[in-house]
Amino acid sequence: MKKCAKFGGSSVANAEQIKKVCKIVLSDENIRAVTVSAPGKRFDGDIKVTDLLIDLYEKFRNKDSKYKESLELVIKRYQEIVNDLKLDEEILQDYRDILNSYLENIEDSFYLQNAIKACGEDFNARLIAKYIKSLGVNCSYLSPKDAGILVEHTLSEPVILEKTYENLNKFKDRDELFIIPGFFAYTPQGKIITFQRGGSDITGSIIARGLECDIYENYTDMSYIYTTHPKLIENPKEITNITYKEMRELSYNGFEIFQEDAVAPLLSHNIKIHVKNTNDPNNGGTIIETKREDVDQNPIIGISNVGDFIAFNITEYLMNKKIGYINKLLDIFEYQHIPVEHIPTGIDSLAILVRKKYISSEFQMQNIINTIKANFSFDEFEIIDDISAIAIVGEGLSQRVGNALYKISKVLYEEDIKLESIIQGANKNSVFVFINKKYEKIAIEKLYKEFFQ
């Protein structure tokens, strides 16, 4: 059995945590490659290394001379780890040289920002590989460039090129342990491109597929994925098994334990994901795989607060007769680079539902409104900007949606909560409930009780 392991920011935040990581890795000969994040928070109020690097980039871009102090803050964070692991400090000068080289030689601000942000994972991987090698283990740092992890840069997210898996496959039979930085890849032109936050999960999935692993172990600071976020419900029910589809739905719709796009590289290769706790690796854990056997017993797997939405409600008589109406409306949002997630419709009405975070300014909002008014002869036009969405997810919904809708309606009726909209996902394993934001907390509490207690 071959494994790939990924360790998140809290798992590699300091030397003590890194020693735990090394103990886990070296006690399992099946682990052939390790993907690591940048050092995360060591305590409440601490600053992640990635955020320190973003601050460095911002100061440099704004020609703030204090960028040098920001650079030294980054180095100081690694110096603490290097000293605690009793490694040679010469590696810190390498880090300074790399950062200064990027700042001096990368003129394009986009690529400079990506290169600087990527240093968090890159420096940590170099450091951890050096430490493991000092223990007498045949271990190598493998950069995404040397590994051949290639992406195409797009306006939204980097697209993984198939050539990546061919490149990685060359390493699958090597008799050594590879430490690989997560979060970033390279374009075919040699430019560094970072994934979105949580992108080390994606790198781990890419490595697992490229090396033809059987299991991808993803270590965090939690022992399980839970039926809802522990910050929303005290002691929520643990999930021991969940499907790829369910995990992707929950991750995209608010669950933060696993990056939603990380599932994609594994879907067609049936590689199991095992979510485990770095601080308690031998207990618990959630398995993510193609199917689960307990769908009849547990048709609903989780409830999540999706986030804040804005609804653009349009009513126009004979709308249903006008060919291309929705397409014309969607063009307005595409032009603004705003993804549209839901479009509930009636005969003469529809609503465009977008995440509030994608509308970045009042100017952009007004631009959308003015463009809609200029291009449509509507009878009514209403904007509701205080909507929250709740996702109820489970493979069993496809057969029991009627029962789920009854429970949802019962909770909303009993709590006197107005329903703005309700939508079943096209694959029938999710239902989205849209309500006024002020009722979000009580709605999640009552829905959780109805479905899980």
Side-chain angles (χ1 to χ4, degrees):
M1 179 178 290
K2 191 188 296 184
K3 297 180 182 179
C4 166
K6 174 262 173 180
F7 293 87
S10 61
S11 298
V12 290
N14 56 31
E16 180 183 356
Q17 289 297 103
I18 287 172
K19 287 177 181 178
K20 291 180 185 177
V21 167
C22 295
K23 183 177 180 181
I24 292 168
V25 172
L26 299 182
S27 65
D28 188 346
E29 62 182 13
N30 293 316
I31 295 177
R32 305 294 297 280
V34 176
T35 301
V36 298
S37 297
K41 292 183 178 181
R42 297 159 294 184
F43 47 82
D44 289 342
D46 195 17
I47 303 174
K48 297 178 180 179
V49 164
T50 300
D51 291 325
L52 292 175
L53 288 162
I54 291 172
D55 179 66
L56 164 61
Y57 164 75
E58 293 290 348
K59 282 188 170 65
F60 182 82
R61 186 189 66 168
N62 294 322
K63 296 180 169 53
D64 184 339
S65 61
K66 291 185 178 179
Y67 82 86
K68 294 180 181 179
E69 296 176 16
S70 297
L71 190 151
E72 287 305 315
L73 281 176
V74 173
I75 300 301
K76 184 178 179 183
R77 184 69 183 273
Y78 286 104
Q79 182 176 23
E80 178 184 305
I81 298 173
V82 165
N83 291 341
D84 289 346
L85 293 177
K86 296 180 171 53
L87 296 174
D88 194 320
E89 284 196 7
E90 67 180 10
I91 195 173
L92 300 174
Q93 188 56 47
D94 293 339
Y95 294 172
R96 280 193 191 89
D97 292 343
I98 291 169
L99 285 169
N100 282 314
S101 175
Y102 289 159
L103 293 171
E104 292 168 8
N105 298 312
I106 302 178
E107 295 181 359
D108 185 289
S109 60
F110 172 79
Y111 290 117
L112 175 60
Q113 183 186 42
N114 278 259
I116 293 296
K117 286 196 299 182
C119 287
E121 279 73 12
D122 191 44
F123 293 174
N124 224 21
R126 292 169 187 258
L127 183 155
I128 291 170
K130 196 176 186 71
Y131 175 67
I132 293 178
K133 200 165 186 176
S134 74
L135 301 176
V137 177
N138 185 15
C139 174
S140 296
Y141 157 79
L142 181 62
S143 74
K145 186 173 186 178
D146 292 338
I149 302 176
L150 301 173
V151 295
E152 178 186 351
H153 171 55
T154 67
L155 287 175
S156 53
E157 288 299 318
V159 177
I160 304 160
L161 299 181
E162 283 298 313
K163 180 69 175 174
T164 292
Y165 303 111
E166 295 177 31
N167 295 336
L168 282 167
N169 202 253
K170 299 171 185 176
F171 296 90
K172 71 182 178 70
D173 295 321
R174 297 275 190 92
D175 187 23
E176 60 183 315
L177 175 66
F178 293 111
I179 309 298
I180 306 164
F183 187 50
F184 71 99
Y186 281 79
T187 67
Q189 295 75 35
K191 304 291 188 182
I192 295 174
I193 297 289
T194 57
F195 299 113
Q196 61 180 313
R197 287 272 187 170
S200 291
D201 288 341
I202 299 175
T203 303
S205 291
I206 293 169
I207 300 300
R209 176 173 159 183
L211 297 183
E212 298 180 8
C213 293
D214 302 291
I215 295 177
Y216 167 30
E217 293 186 337
N218 190 291
Y219 286 85
T220 71
D221 56 1
M222 298 176 72
S223 295
Y224 292 94
I225 297 171
Y226 296 92
T227 47
T228 194
H229 200 293
K231 290 182 180 178
L232 299 174
I233 299 293
E234 188 176 355
N235 298 320
K237 186 179 177 183
E238 300 154 348
I239 299 174
T240 55
N241 288 84
I242 185 171
T243 68
Y244 290 136
K245 290 180 181 179
E246 290 170 330
M247 189 66 250
R248 177 158 164 73
E249 286 277 359
L250 287 171
S251 295
Y252 181 74
N253 291 303
F255 273 41
E256 298 177 353
I257 197 167
F258 197 73
Q259 216 279 349
E260 70 267 12
D261 293 338
V263 171
L266 309 178
L267 281 173
S268 60
H269 289 69
N270 199 27
I271 299 170
K272 292 183 181 181
I273 304 169
H274 196 176
V275 177
K276 305 178 80 173
N277 189 337
T278 305
N279 301 310
D280 193 13
N282 298 318
N283 293 312
T286 299
I287 298 289
I288 307 170
E289 54 191 328
T290 306
K291 295 180 180 179
R292 59 183 174 93
E293 303 299 325
D294 63 341
V295 172
D296 289 340
Q297 295 78 23
N298 298 297
I300 309 300
I301 203 72
I303 296 178
S304 176
N305 59 329
V306 180
D308 298 339
F309 280 75
I310 298 176
F312 296 82
N313 296 334
I314 297 176
T315 301
E316 185 174 331
Y317 183 58
L318 297 179
M319 179 191 290
N320 64 315
K321 303 282 187 182
K322 298 180 179 179
I323 296 172
Y325 193 97
I326 293 178
N327 186 56
K328 185 178 176 182
L329 189 58
L330 289 177
D331 281 345
I332 296 171
F333 291 89
E334 181 183 4
Y335 183 77
Q336 296 284 343
H337 301 295
I338 298 172
V340 172
E341 296 199 19
H342 301 282
I343 314 175
T345 63
I347 297 174
D348 298 319
S349 63
L350 61 80
I352 299 291
L353 290 163
V354 302
R355 290 184 188 252
K356 206 168 186 176
K357 66 182 181 180
Y358 292 136
I359 299 180
S360 58
S361 66
E362 183 60 36
F363 174 80
Q364 188 180 33
M365 181 70 168
Q366 198 57 52
N367 199 347
I368 294 167
I369 294 170
N370 291 342
T371 308
I372 291 174
K373 287 181 176 179
N375 288 277
F376 293 89
S377 302
F378 48 78
D379 298 307
E380 297 177 22
F381 180 39
E382 178 188 27
I383 296 172
I384 305 175
D385 65 356
D386 55 356
I387 295 175
S388 283
I390 299 169
I392 298 163
V393 175
E395 297 277 5
L397 272 172
S398 61
Q399 302 297 323
R400 302 189 186 184
V401 69
N403 180 258
L405 292 175
Y406 165 75
K407 291 183 176 182
I408 293 166
S409 300
K410 177 173 175 284
V411 166
L412 298 184
Y413 173 76
E414 289 175 351
E415 298 302 321
D416 195 24
I417 299 173
K418 178 187 174 184
L419 179 66
E420 296 292 343
S421 189
I422 188 165
I423 300 169
Q424 184 178 19
N427 61 10
K428 296 182 171 53
N429 70 356
S430 59
V431 172
F432 299 89
V433 180
F434 295 85
I435 58 173
N436 188 289
K437 182 173 177 58
K438 67 182 179 182
Y439 298 115
E440 179 187 67
K441 187 174 185 298
I442 186 67
I444 290 175
E445 289 174 356
K446 297 299 181 180
L447 286 168
Y448 182 85
K449 183 176 180 181
E450 189 69 34
F451 282 104
F452 293 107
Q453 292 180 349

